[in-house]
Amino acid sequence: MTIEGIAADKLDPEQFIATQLEEISATVGDEIAINALSGGVDSSAVTMLGHQAIGSQLKTYFIDNALMRQDEPEQIVSLFAELGVNVELIDAREEFLDALAGITDPEEKREAVTQTFYRDVFGRLVRESGAKYLLQGTILTDVDETVAGIKRQHNVFEQLGIDPQQAFGYQIVEPLIQLRKDGVRKVAEALGLPESVYNRMPFPGPALAARVIGEATRERLALVRQATVITEQELADVDAFQYMAILHEDRVTGMREGRREFGQQIEIRCWDSVDARTASPTHLSWDILEKLSNRIVTEVPGVVSVTYNIATKPPSTMEVV
Ligand code: XMP
């Protein structure tokens, strides 16, 4: 089944919201639905749509999967508390780290995150809450790239012939499936979400696991997390679609205080893009790059090399995994 997309410039957000509110409440009826909030614009928009449509019949969880950025779980839960939405924080860190242990292949890593999320953690939350439905913020770009076999996005099932009811024991409702990122931002703004949310930089479902080449261990995740803090601070004022720090698998010879250090490599990517389908590297100034590199090699232990990606998407993709 092909999905009929709605281009952002043809979108009437108010009308779209009214239609989705009706559809969500008609689908869920008197049952319970659950959803996972990551704080990104897609899951935030779905959370607001769900709460406006079915109120307390929707239970919203933030899944701490050990792959989030510094302090992200607590920040998102308190932001939504201010918006009047109660979000339960689920500590699933050990489960995800166990599932990722020993895996280096990119698609196997994505599959491990997907299965832990949908089968294990959500399977359990569905059983405990008695929910019949999972609301989630899959968008058209996720479907396109998965169906094209480019990257298995963590949240795409039906289009791959997977029946979530059979595979996981619940049905999935996807109110944003006709939109791309630019359309979701318009809807999120119309839903009354703050600018920090509707203009929030995208962050992938597999989170920092998509930014570690090779095994995503606790230590390697901590390293890329530290580099991410610095990258996001230094590039905060740059007008870009998305920026990120990536930890490479290969180490390289460096030197510190006169001694050889066989150290880690961090790659910075910063993308200009409208809808993530194509992208080109932002023309960052040398001053910005230099400051970024100096901070990373000084503040992140063990890093001796920092590079900036200058290839476009395609043939690159935005994330490395
Ligand atoms: P790629 O790496 O495919 O990324 O060029 C395009 C956009 O999608 C985000 N991304 C994901 N989003 N689940 C998501 O919800 C995923 O599995 C996923 N993988 C990549 C990426 O951050 C970029 O904005």
Side-chain angles (χ1 to χ4, degrees), residues 42 110 114 137-139 141-142 145-146 150-155 181 201-207 210-211 241-242 244 269 271 275-277 279 313 316-321:
D42 306 340
R110 285 177 165 264
T114 298
T138 319
I139 63 170
T141 318
D142 300 338
E145 295 206 345
T146 300
I150 295 168
K151 244 173 225 194
R152 165 80 162 87
Q153 306 273 317
H154 74 293
N155 50 6
K181 205 57 113 184
M201 189 167 62
F203 189 60
R211 299 185 179 170
F241 181 88
Q242 194 170 8
M244 61 195 72
R269 292 182 171 197
W271 296 108
D275 57 16
R277 281 187 290 182
K313 171 183 179 175
S316 277
T317 57
M318 296 171 85
E319 308 286 347
V320 282
V321 165

Side-chain angles (χ1 to χ4, degrees), residues 124-267:
R124 194 166 58 241
L125 291 173
V126 162
R127 281 193 300 280
E128 285 169 10
S129 65
K132 293 254 182 334
Y133 297 94
L134 170 67
L135 259 56
Q136 73 170 9
T138 319
I139 63 170
L140 202 44
T141 318
D142 300 338
V143 177
D144 286 348
E145 295 206 345
T146 300
V147 172
I150 295 168
K151 244 173 225 194
R152 165 80 162 87
Q153 306 273 317
H154 74 293
N155 50 6
V156 176
F157 300 103
E158 203 188 307
Q159 293 77 12
L160 294 177
I162 301 168
D163 177 357
Q165 184 70 55
Q166 268 186 350
F168 312 119
Y170 49 82
Q171 289 182 47
I172 295 186
V173 181
E174 297 172 315
L176 309 178
I177 196 96
Q178 293 173 282
L179 306 180
R180 296 190 188 277
K181 205 57 113 184
D182 43 356
V184 181
R185 292 195 196 287
K186 286 175 85 170
V187 170
E189 184 175 6
L191 281 165
L193 284 159
E195 216 228 314
S196 63
V197 174
Y198 72 73
N199 268 340
R200 192 174 172 90
M201 189 167 62
F203 189 60
L208 294 178
R211 299 185 179 170
V212 169
I213 305 176
E215 191 180 359
T217 61
R218 189 191 308 273
E219 294 72 27
R220 306 190 75 226
L221 287 162
L223 199 150
V224 84
R225 185 176 291 115
Q226 264 184 294
T228 301
V229 171
I230 299 169
T231 305
E232 292 189 354
Q233 282 171 356
E234 293 302 324
L235 300 185
D237 294 333
V238 171
D239 185 21
F241 181 88
Q242 194 170 8
Y243 37 84
M244 61 195 72
I246 290 147
L247 175 61
H248 278 226
E249 192 167 20
D250 287 346
R251 290 191 293 157
V252 289
T253 301
M255 54 185 287
R256 207 184 297 266
E257 290 162 11
R259 296 177 61 160
R260 178 180 193 273
E261 184 175 330
F262 194 48
Q264 308 283 352
Q265 302 188 72
I266 289 286
E267 175 186 335

Side-chain angles (χ1 to χ4, degrees), residues 7-63:
D9 58 352
K10 301 272 178 341
L11 174 72
D12 176 345
E14 309 296 341
Q15 196 197 332
F16 179 88
I17 291 168
T19 309
Q20 295 308 322
L21 292 182
E22 266 177 42
E23 282 195 12
I24 294 169
S25 63
T27 307
V28 176
D30 295 331
E31 302 289 349
I32 299 285
I34 63 173
N35 81 310
L37 171 70
S38 69
V41 65
D42 306 340
S43 68
S44 297
V46 167
T47 300
M48 294 313 271
L49 279 173
H51 278 271
Q52 288 182 17
I54 56 172
S56 59
Q57 283 167 263
L58 178 67
K59 308 227 171 305
T60 299
Y61 301 97
F62 186 105
I63 314 294

